[in-house]
Amino acid sequence: MQVTAQDSKVLQKKQWIRIENKPLWKFVADRLNSFYNFKDTVITANQNETKLYKLLSDYKIVEGGTSRQKSLKKAISKIDSEYVLVTDVARACVTKDMIERLIQKADEFDSVVPYLPAVDTVVYRDSTINRNDVKLIQTPQLSKTKILKKALESDEEFTDDSSAIKNIGGKIGYVLGD
């Protein structure tokens, strides 16, 4: 494989950090697929990176959008399963136990998300609030595919899948994260 100057710039991004001699994005995808036989794995990539992604894996590679939400919308358009698990490369060491906790609650909710409790004092708009009322939301998030697709039809930008689903009245379940 020949690497161009443009490719060299791409290789400096976080998703190209190597773990076990794999780019981080591939390490994460391979790790999750080692836990379960997922029907499809779709990975979004910057338009300048899609060629490299395709050279390095057999996963479905989709050119991403200008935001996380637009990228997600493109990716889930390729999904036809009842549920979709969405994650990012920042959570490289997700455990099988975490995935199982999400799956166990899948039938009860439109989206199931891991969270961490706040352990520090929390101030919101100059007022101290009860930290027990705060959840720090993580990925991966497991959602009903049809509901997530509907939630992403909005032009409003959401920071995660569960926020979009909650916005249309969906039911969100929480499991303790890592």
Side-chain angles (χ1 to χ4, degrees):
M1 175 175 89
Q2 184 176 355
V3 178
T4 67
Q6 179 65 34
D7 294 334
S8 294
K9 290 178 185 175
V10 168
L11 295 174
Q12 296 171 18
K13 294 182 177 181
K14 172 177 56 180
Q15 61 266 35
W16 293 102
I17 293 170
R18 314 242 346 139
I19 297 180
E20 295 180 0
N21 205 28
K22 296 177 186 179
L24 185 57
W25 63 267
K26 188 169 187 318
F27 173 84
V28 172
D30 289 350
R31 181 178 175 86
L32 292 175
N33 277 283
S34 75
F35 300 153
Y36 294 96
N37 185 19
F38 291 108
K39 182 177 178 182
D40 285 308
T41 298
V42 180
I43 299 171
T44 59
N46 178 287
Q47 67 179 357
N48 298 326
E49 300 174 354
T50 55
K51 177 179 75 171
L52 286 172
Y53 277 67
K54 288 177 180 179
L55 284 171
L56 295 172
S57 85
D58 293 327
Y59 297 122
K60 289 183 183 179
I61 308 300
V62 175
E63 185 178 310
T66 56
S67 68
R68 178 193 187 278
Q69 187 165 316
K70 289 176 183 169
S71 295
L72 177 57
K73 198 172 180 178
K74 286 182 169 189
I76 65 170
S77 73
K78 307 294 182 194
I79 301 293
D80 64 2
S81 59
E82 184 177 358
Y83 296 96
V84 61
L85 181 73
V86 177
T87 193
D88 54 57
V89 297
R91 308 275 184 227
C93 294
V94 171
T95 64
K96 184 175 182 179
D97 180 61
M98 167 60 68
I99 303 300
E100 289 175 353
R101 289 196 306 267
L102 296 170
I103 290 171
Q104 287 172 358
K105 300 263 185 184
D107 291 337
E108 299 174 49
F109 301 98
D110 297 318
S111 184
V112 184
V113 300
Y115 78 95
L116 292 178
V119 294
D120 297 318
T121 298
V122 179
V123 176
Y124 177 73
R125 296 187 177 171
D126 293 328
S127 295
T128 302
I129 62 173
N130 184 341
R131 66 180 170 204
N132 295 326
D133 294 336
V134 175
K135 291 178 176 68
L136 306 174
I137 303 302
Q138 300 181 309
T139 61
Q141 297 185 11
L142 182 67
S143 301
K144 292 179 179 171
T145 306
K146 286 181 184 178
I147 294 173
L148 181 56
K149 285 179 179 181
K150 181 180 177 185
L152 295 177
E153 289 174 5
S154 169
D155 289 332
E156 186 175 345
E157 288 287 323
F158 299 97
T159 57
D160 76 329
D161 319 339
S162 68
S163 298
I165 290 173
K166 190 171 203 155
N167 185 61
I168 63 167
K171 189 174 176 185
I172 310 302
Y174 302 96
V175 298
L176 188 59
D178 293 326

